[in-house]
Amino acid sequence: MITSAIVSAFGSALGSYLSNTSSRKVDKQTGSVFSKINWTDVLSYAIHGGLINAPISHYWFEWLSVNGPSSNTASVLVDQLVVQPPLLVLMFVCLDIFRANIRATINQFREARVISNALENAGPAIVASWRFWPFAVYLTFKYLKKKHYTVALNLCSVAWTVYLSRRSPAVSK
């Protein structure tokens, strides 16, 4: 199933990418021909292909092969006339939802100055982590059995997250 999802996501993304590269645009100022890739579409198709189309198709064709008509022709007719039309409607709805969410996320990403905020906060957080984590890891290794390392360091992570959360509170609108 995972392989099917990966292949479907890649195939859907590749199809969208190739569609974008085959539609050429002309720059009015320079007269040069170029292809502009709509990465929102490529990502939307990949998400739909991997997370929605792959599992539905996988289980539908598995079910059809076991429980469907014994004739291949009849199975194709059932698939194409009964199942594919609603799946295409679902695909277009999902693609529009994915596109809208991706665009909104990109806009929020820009408005919130995500990269510049991350760069501003990373330096002090790295220095603080060098004051906390080496001791936490050292004490864990020195005093606990290996089977308890993960639990102990996850508990340390709770304290570390509290520190980070208090240090740089989220900006609310």
Side-chain angles (χ1 to χ4, degrees), residues 1-9 48-68 79 83-84 87 90:
M1 181 65 207
I2 291 175
T3 303
S4 177
I6 292 168
V7 169
S8 183
H48 174 267
L51 298 179
I52 295 172
N53 189 55
I56 290 174
S57 295
H58 174 82
Y59 291 113
W60 162 242
F61 288 121
E62 201 172 272
W63 183 90
L64 187 63
S65 69
V66 173
N67 302 308
D79 176 58
V83 175
Q84 291 308 314
L87 285 182
L90 175 66

Side-chain angles (χ1 to χ4, degrees), residues 107-121:
N107 288 336
Q108 288 174 340
F109 190 87
R110 288 179 183 148
E111 289 173 10
R113 298 181 45 238
V114 172
I115 298 296
S116 59
N117 286 341
L119 292 174
E120 288 170 15
N121 291 318

Side-chain angles (χ1 to χ4, degrees), residues 9-10 12-21 23 25 34-48 95 98-106 110:
F10 180 78
S12 296
L14 180 62
S16 178
Y17 176 83
L18 292 173
S19 168
N20 280 270
T21 60
S23 60
K25 301 191 184 347
F34 66 96
S35 296
K36 184 175 182 188
I37 305 300
N38 183 339
W39 292 107
T40 299
D41 261 11
V42 172
L43 183 57
S44 297
Y45 273 96
I47 294 169
H48 174 267
L95 288 174
F98 295 149
R99 288 177 187 128
N101 279 298
I102 291 167
R103 288 184 188 117
T105 300
I106 291 169
R110 288 179 183 148

Side-chain angles (χ1 to χ4, degrees), residues 54-156:
I56 290 174
S57 295
H58 174 82
Y59 291 113
W60 162 242
F61 288 121
E62 201 172 272
W63 183 90
L64 187 63
S65 69
V66 173
N67 302 308
S70 57
S71 161
N72 288 340
T73 304
S75 291
V76 169
L77 286 173
V78 168
D79 176 58
Q80 292 300 305
L81 298 176
V82 177
V83 175
Q84 291 308 314
L87 285 182
L88 283 170
V89 171
L90 175 66
M91 180 191 77
F92 288 119
V93 168
C94 290
L95 288 174
D96 283 345
I97 290 169
F98 295 149
R99 288 177 187 128
N101 279 298
I102 291 167
R103 288 184 188 117
T105 300
I106 291 169
N107 288 336
Q108 288 174 340
F109 190 87
R110 288 179 183 148
E111 289 173 10
R113 298 181 45 238
V114 172
I115 298 296
S116 59
N117 286 341
L119 292 174
E120 288 170 15
N121 291 318
I126 290 169
V127 171
S129 78
W130 288 338
R131 285 187 229 134
F132 177 82
W133 283 107
F135 297 107
V137 174
Y138 176 78
L139 293 172
T140 299
F141 288 175
K142 182 169 173 95
Y143 294 109
L144 298 176
K145 294 178 182 176
K146 284 184 183 181
K147 68 179 182 178
H148 299 300
Y149 286 1
T150 304
V151 173
L153 292 172
N154 281 335
L155 289 173
C156 291

